Amino acid sequence: CGVRAKSPQLAMAASIKSTCVLLGLLLVAISGVDAFASSAFGRSAVVACVAKVSVRMGAPAPAPATKTKSKTITRPGQASPAKPKAANKAQTAQPKRATQDAHIPMWKVMLLGDDGYEEDSVCGVIKQVIPNLSVDDIREKFQKAQKAGDAMLTVINQEHAEALVSSFHRCDPMVFSEALPE
């Protein structure tokens, strides 16, 4: 380093420290910064160098980080003296899985009521355009649309909702409907 130490111990400590720094830089250059810093070898090499320098300079070495596991065995009918029942186990948060349709906004297809409708022909058109609805559901929704002014037929993504509305408008008899965001 070019710096003179006052005592031989300090000179040796500075020499060890500079050697460790050079070794670390060499490892970083060879394996990449992230690989060295996150690897067990990189952490242990740095800890070993710091420990050697600290011991040489008279400071206490850092205590190794160790974890111990203890197991408490209880007999049936006896409560565990070590742990309260409330703190049995920490619950881990389960990750939410993203589905393919999670980000797609959903739209409602609404049947609009009209005085000129005939129930049988309108229900037949709805069954033809949306085959997965039962005839009973279609009749119920038709009657609700006639009384309230509109009734929700289905909830699907925007593109399909607009296609259904245009299909209803092309049919004979024309069925009035609209697509609304949910």
Side-chain angles (χ1 to χ4, degrees):
C1 292
V3 178
R4 289 192 165 196
K6 294 182 179 179
S7 68
Q9 288 90 5
L10 288 178
M12 181 177 270
S15 172
I16 292 173
K17 185 175 181 180
S18 63
T19 304
C20 288
V21 170
L22 290 175
L23 177 64
L25 291 174
L26 180 63
L27 287 172
V28 168
I30 292 172
S31 64
V33 175
D34 292 336
F36 176 73
S38 64
S39 69
F41 174 74
R43 285 190 301 273
S44 64
V46 170
V47 168
C49 287
V50 170
K52 285 181 183 177
V53 170
S54 298
V55 168
R56 298 283 188 210
M57 296 178 76
T66 58
K67 293 183 180 180
T68 58
K69 291 184 179 182
S70 62
K71 195 177 220 183
T72 304
I73 300 173
T74 59
R75 294 182 184 150
Q78 291 181 342
S80 174
K83 295 181 182 178
K85 288 186 178 183
N88 281 345
K89 206 174 203 184
Q91 293 181 350
T92 58
Q94 296 295 326
K96 292 184 179 180
R97 292 183 176 224
T99 61
Q100 186 176 10
D101 298 332
H103 65 282
I104 299 174
M106 301 302 281
W107 285 58
K108 300 183 283 189
V109 177
M110 304 295 290
L111 171 66
L112 302 176
D114 187 30
D115 293 336
Y117 283 156
E118 292 179 12
E119 185 173 357
D120 291 334
S121 59
V122 171
C123 290
V125 167
I126 294 172
K127 181 67 176 171
Q128 190 177 18
V129 174
I130 308 174
N132 61 345
L133 288 177
S134 69
V135 176
D136 294 333
D137 287 342
I138 292 172
R139 291 197 185 279
E140 181 183 318
K141 291 176 184 197
F142 174 81
Q143 292 168 359
K144 183 179 177 186
Q146 290 297 86
K147 289 179 185 174
D150 63 351
M152 183 178 65
L153 292 174
T154 187
V155 178
I156 52 177
N157 64 38
Q158 181 181 4
E159 188 175 329
H160 290 160
E162 291 171 351
L164 285 178
V165 169
S166 66
S167 295
F168 283 131
H169 290 198
R170 287 192 307 261
C171 289
D172 186 33
M174 184 188 308
V175 176
F176 298 108
S177 61
E178 66 179 346
L180 299 173
E182 190 175 37

